[in-house]
């Protein structure tokens, strides 16, 4: 089973991917997480990625495609995968089609998480992520704060979670990513999940019930 999460920055793609990963035991492939891991290296490429991501722009299609292709063809993904944050433009969507058809694979479910824009800034600015297990929390909606312990790790903030960069990321999303909604609607695999003030579990339950149908 291959699943794809679409949605604006802060809509909850990572949160839902982790819940679905646990439920169905198929791995999440988050291009944002993979790229952040690359930025940890002191290399020239790591530094370049850091600059692009902290401005809210997209990294080049070539780099992202290489990362995704390596993951999808690995043995971890033999029972399926969950794409989170890829594809993000029409060119990436058509490259993904090519990559999947080479492997005789397809995407069965695309979940678009639709959250009103006024909630997005708070969700991103308040987000904290465990630097070890990747658990996602929010300073506004939970008891955890930046620097608190989470199992082996501590909660940290992302460099691109300030108001200015989030506004840029939203602009880039509207210009480049929104057009791929129609691309997947035309394939008949798109499910719109309306998020809002509801906590993550209600959305997870809806997604699971669509998959089980
Ligand atoms: P990426 O890391 O993918 O960032 P994003 O798309 O902006 O999405 P986010 O991770 O910010 O949000 P999310 O939807 O995962 O929300 P989350 O679950 O964390 O990409 C970062 C950068 O990498 C890009 O800007 C780009 O530069 C580069 N990049 C990545 N992929 C690329 C690609 N394919 N091509 C080119 N460049 C690429 O939730 C957010 C917060 O809300 C959390 O605090 C969470 O606790 C809370 N929350 C979640 N759901 C709910 C709910 N239902 N109710 C209340 N709170 C909730
Ligand atoms: Mg994410």
């Amino acid at each position: 089973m291959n699943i794809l999460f679409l949605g604006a920055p802060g809509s909850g793609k990572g949160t839902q991917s982790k819940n679905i990963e646990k439920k169905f035991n198929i791995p999440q492939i988050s291009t944002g997480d993979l790229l952040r891991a690359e930025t940890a290296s002191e290399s020239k490429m790591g530094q370049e990625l850091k600059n692009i991501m902290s401005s809210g722009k997209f990294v080049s299609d070539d780099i992202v495609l290489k990362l995704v292709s390596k993951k999808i063809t690995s043995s971890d993904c033999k029972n399926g995968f969950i794409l989170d944050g890829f594809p993000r433009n029409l060119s990436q969507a058509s490259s993904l089609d090519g990559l999947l058809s080479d492997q005789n694979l397809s995407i069965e479910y695309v979940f678009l998480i639709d959250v009103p824009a006024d909630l997005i800034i708070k969700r991103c600015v308040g987000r904290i992520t465990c630097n070890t297990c990747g658990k996602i929390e929010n300073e506004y909606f939970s008891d955890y704060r930046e620097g608190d312990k989470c199992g082996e790790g501590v909660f940290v903030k992302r460099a691109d979670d300030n108001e200015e960069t989030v506004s840029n990321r939203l602009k880039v999303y509207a210009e480049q990513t929104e057009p791929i909604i129609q691309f997947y609607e035309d394939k008949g695999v798109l499910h719109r999940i309306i998020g809002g003030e509801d906590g993550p579990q209600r959305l997870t339950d809806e997604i699971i019930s669509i998959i089980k149908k």
Side-chain angles (χ1 to χ4, degrees):
M1 179 169 64
N2 304 318
I3 298 174
L4 196 161
F5 279 103
L6 268 181
S11 56
K13 304 180 293 296
T15 303
Q16 295 305 324
S17 296
K18 287 200 182 327
N19 290 352
I20 297 302
E21 175 178 53
K22 225 182 270 165
K23 172 79 189 170
F24 294 103
N25 202 22
I26 49 174
Q28 170 199 25
I29 304 174
S30 158
T31 44
D33 289 349
L34 292 171
L35 290 165
R36 274 185 289 280
E38 297 283 329
T39 65
S41 100
E42 295 296 318
S43 66
K44 190 165 166 250
M45 158 123 154
Q47 200 51 51
E48 275 169 14
L49 289 177
K50 209 184 253 181
N51 291 340
I52 296 170
M53 291 168 76
S54 59
S55 74
K57 292 191 187 131
F58 284 172
V59 168
S60 80
D61 292 349
D62 285 359
I63 292 178
V64 179
L65 200 64
K66 238 180 250 163
L67 289 171
V68 172
S69 150
K70 197 169 153 198
K71 282 277 173 192
I72 286 180
T73 53
S74 76
S75 61
D76 292 3
C77 291
K78 63 180 188 307
N79 295 325
F81 51 80
I82 303 164
L83 285 170
D84 161 9
F86 177 91
R88 253 174 150 98
N89 58 31
L90 282 170
S91 147
Q92 290 182 8
S94 92
S95 299
L96 176 64
D97 268 3
L99 179 64
L100 293 177
S101 74
D102 287 350
Q103 311 283 323
N104 275 326
L105 297 173
S106 61
I107 299 286
E108 279 92 20
Y109 302 95
V110 176
F111 295 105
L112 167 67
I113 311 181
D114 201 346
V115 176
D118 56 330
L119 293 177
I120 293 287
I121 301 272
K122 204 168 178 183
R123 287 212 189 165
C124 289
V125 173
R127 171 173 39 207
I128 44 176
T129 310
C130 174
N131 61 4
T132 305
C133 72
K135 186 175 167 62
I136 303 168
E137 288 287 350
N138 193 293
E139 293 188 322
Y140 295 111
F141 315 124
S142 77
D143 294 332
Y144 295 102
R145 298 290 172 270
E146 185 179 13
D148 283 353
K149 268 192 82 72
C150 168
E152 298 291 300
V154 287
F155 284 105
V156 295
K157 284 207 187 256
R158 269 170 48 178
D160 58 350
D161 275 344
N162 54 76
E163 279 195 38
E164 192 189 340
T165 307
V166 176
S167 306
N168 287 340
R169 282 157 60 199
L170 283 170
K171 226 180 279 164
V172 176
Y173 174 78
E175 286 165 10
Q176 300 200 41
T177 310
E178 276 183 351
I180 70 178
I181 296 172
Q182 191 61 48
F183 180 88
Y184 287 109
E185 206 141 38
D186 292 346
K187 288 179 184 282
V189 290
L190 188 96
H191 301 266
R192 208 174 278 263
I193 306 293
I194 308 294
E197 302 292 344
D198 292 345
Q201 192 56 47
R202 211 272 304 143
L203 276 66
T204 304
D205 292 344
E206 185 179 344
I207 292 164
I208 291 172
S209 80
I210 292 170
I211 293 172
K212 284 191 168 163
K213 249 183 222 163

